[in-house]
Amino acid sequence: ANEVPEVCDILIENEPEVIPIQIKCRGTANTSDISKAETWATNKLKKDSKKIVGAIKSCESRDVHVNNQTRGQLTFRSGTISPICGIVLVEYDGASMRLDSGLPSRSRSGVPIHYFSVNDFKFLCTYLMTFSDLLRYLQSRATLEATKFNYLNREKDFAALYRMSGELFDQGA
């Protein structure tokens, strides 16, 4: 009866920093048609953008309970963790897709929100290898205007640009 509400699907934590993640996978949804796949992904991104804003707010303002496979049940007391960004992942295997310009790029408190396909995020985790490398990439990415990286399935291009520019995104890029 006293069930704790879910804050997010995944919480990457490196105390006190955390990254809440919302993820949507197609499962058995029929998305073989490109336009249907784009419509499905767009709808899921809109829905989960609201959830990630709520997850960021929850991490900032209340106790967060986590079931960690290695460490067991954990409780992060209100004010002890700080979301450094939010991430929304969606399973989308089509060609590069421009995201809806209405998706929030920041939470109400100013925390950056990033949108990736599942494959793009897996690529980044492999390419950047450590939490610190991923964090630097996301922080640099967040300094750009929202429309610069407003695509799914283009992260390999963006990561190459990041590496070629000395691991900082050029504001004029």
Side-chain angles (χ1 to χ4, degrees):
N2 285 348
E3 204 168 301
V4 177
E6 180 179 276
V7 172
C8 58
D9 294 325
I10 300 170
L11 185 70
I12 298 175
E13 58 95 3
N14 186 32
E15 288 184 69
E17 299 166 326
V18 296
I19 301 175
I21 299 176
Q22 285 298 131
I23 182 170
K24 284 293 178 257
C25 292
R26 285 189 307 253
T28 59
N30 181 7
T31 54
S32 56
D33 179 298
I34 298 292
S35 65
K36 286 181 182 176
E38 286 183 7
T39 300
W40 182 89
T42 299
N43 289 338
K44 297 303 179 188
L45 287 168
K46 285 179 186 177
K47 182 178 177 184
D48 276 9
S49 70
K50 293 175 185 158
K51 287 183 178 181
I52 203 67
V53 168
I56 291 167
K57 182 179 178 182
S58 292
C59 289
E60 294 171 329
S61 63
R62 67 177 217 207
D63 291 355
V64 175
H65 306 279
V66 176
N67 184 10
N68 183 291
Q69 289 182 331
T70 304
R71 296 169 61 195
Q73 294 284 341
L74 301 173
T75 297
F76 298 104
R77 296 284 173 216
S78 178
T80 62
I81 57 175
S82 176
I84 51 177
C85 71
I87 295 176
V88 178
L89 303 177
V90 66
E91 186 176 13
Y92 174 74
D93 298 330
S96 175
M97 180 179 94
R98 190 161 196 44
L99 297 174
D100 184 324
S101 62
L103 293 172
S105 61
R106 296 195 175 267
S107 71
R108 290 179 193 98
S109 62
V111 174
I113 300 172
H114 301 282
Y115 301 88
F116 300 106
S117 70
V118 171
N119 286 336
D120 275 347
F121 191 67
K122 286 190 320 189
F123 164 77
L124 283 179
C125 290
T126 303
Y127 185 68
L128 298 170
M129 296 177 65
T130 69
F131 180 81
S132 297
D133 291 340
L134 178 63
L135 178 58
R136 276 193 303 276
Y137 179 85
L138 294 171
Q139 288 172 327
S140 184
R141 191 181 192 274
T143 63
L144 298 173
E145 67 179 76
T147 58
K148 293 273 188 195
F149 288 73
N150 210 7
Y151 292 90
L152 288 181
N153 291 342
R154 292 275 315 271
E155 212 59 38
K156 286 181 181 178
D157 297 335
F158 301 142
L161 177 63
Y162 173 76
R163 281 280 164 93
M164 289 175 19
S165 63
E167 297 191 351
L168 286 172
F169 286 113
D170 179 5
Q171 293 298 316

